[in-house]
Amino acid sequence: MENKAAQFLERYREIEEWVLNNLNVTEMKDLEQMPQYKGIRSNLAFCRLLRNLLSHYDWSKAGNDMVIVTDQAVRQVNNLYYSLNPMTLMRVAIRAGQIFAPSPEDSVLAAVKVMQRNDYSYIPIVENHRIVGVFSTKTLMRIVAEDNSVLLSENLKFRDIAGFTQIADEPTAHYGFINPNTTVEDVSLKFQRSKSRKVRLDMLFITDNGRSDGMLQGMVTPVDIL
C-alpha cells in the first residue's frame, strides 16, 4: 500500500503544482466547476478526495491499512495528469541544438560521411534557424542520374544542389512538419496512419508554427514516440 499511496500522492502533487502555476485557480476543487473540464469532473473529484484522505488522516489502525490505494487509483491519477497537462512533443523530441543540420554553405560529402557514420536517413538544411531544404542519401542518387554537370567533390556545397533539396509536399515525402504543442498521442496516430499511405512518414520536423516556413525547434521519429 505504501508504494501505491506514495505514487498517488506524488503524482497528485505534480498535478496540483502544475494547475496552480498554469491555471487561474487557487484550489483544485475549483476545476470541477469549470465547463472545459466537465468530461473529467468525476475523476477530479475522486482524486482530490482520495488525496485528502491519504494526507490528512491516520488511517492505519493496529498495523492494518483501512484505505487501500489500488492500481486503478494510480491509473486514475495518471489519467488526470495527462488530461490536464498532455504530454507534448517537446518532452520526447530531439531538440534543435542536437540535430545535425548543415547550412547551405556546408560540404555535401562531409555531411554524407556524418550521415553514414550515424545512420541518418534525412537531415535538414538550415539557415537562420529555418529549414531551407531536406537532404537524404537518395538525393545523391538523383543528382547522379539527372545532372551530369554536378561534380561530387569536397567543394560541392548544399547551395549548389538546392534544386534537389527543395521541401516536398508531405503526401510525397517521408518527412513532415508539426507544431510543438501537438500531443505525443496525436503524433503517434499520425505516424500510424501514414502506414496506409504510398509514402510512409519516417520523421517529423517540429517548427514554431507547424509549417515548413517556421523556425526549427526539434524533430521526432517513431522510435522517439515509442
Side-chain angles (χ1 to χ4, degrees), residues 77-117:
V77 77
N78 283 330
N79 288 340
L80 180 59
Y81 177 81
Y82 290 116
S83 295
L84 291 169
N85 183 20
M87 181 177 284
T88 57
L89 270 187
M90 296 311 293
R91 295 196 194 182
V92 299
I94 302 169
R95 301 279 175 157
Q98 300 172 298
I99 299 173
F100 176 61
S103 76
E105 300 304 315
D106 286 330
S107 166
V108 174
L109 290 185
V112 170
K113 292 176 182 178
V114 174
M115 293 176 68
Q116 290 178 328
R117 187 162 59 247

Side-chain angles (χ1 to χ4, degrees), residues 147-207:
D147 193 341
N148 294 328
S149 66
V150 175
L151 180 62
L152 299 179
S153 69
E154 292 291 344
N155 295 324
L156 184 68
K157 311 296 185 184
F158 280 105
R159 60 176 166 77
D160 300 324
I161 60 168
F164 290 93
T165 61
Q166 293 176 343
I167 296 171
D169 293 332
E170 186 171 310
T172 62
H174 289 280
Y175 57 86
F177 297 85
I178 201 160
N179 190 289
N181 295 322
T182 308
T183 65
V184 170
E185 182 179 5
D186 287 341
V187 175
S188 178
L189 288 173
K190 190 175 182 69
F191 278 127
Q192 290 177 28
R193 288 168 181 162
S194 78
K195 293 179 181 178
S196 62
R197 294 182 355 183
K198 185 176 180 179
V199 180
R200 187 181 65 184
L201 276 176
D202 291 331
M203 70 171 53
L204 290 167
F205 294 113
I206 305 167
T207 61

Side-chain angles (χ1 to χ4, degrees), residues 8 12 43-52 76-77 80:
F8 183 94
Y12 193 89
N43 198 19
L44 279 165
F46 165 77
C47 290
R48 178 174 59 82
L49 291 173
L50 180 54
R51 179 263 185 191
N52 290 340
Q76 287 294 104
V77 77
L80 180 59

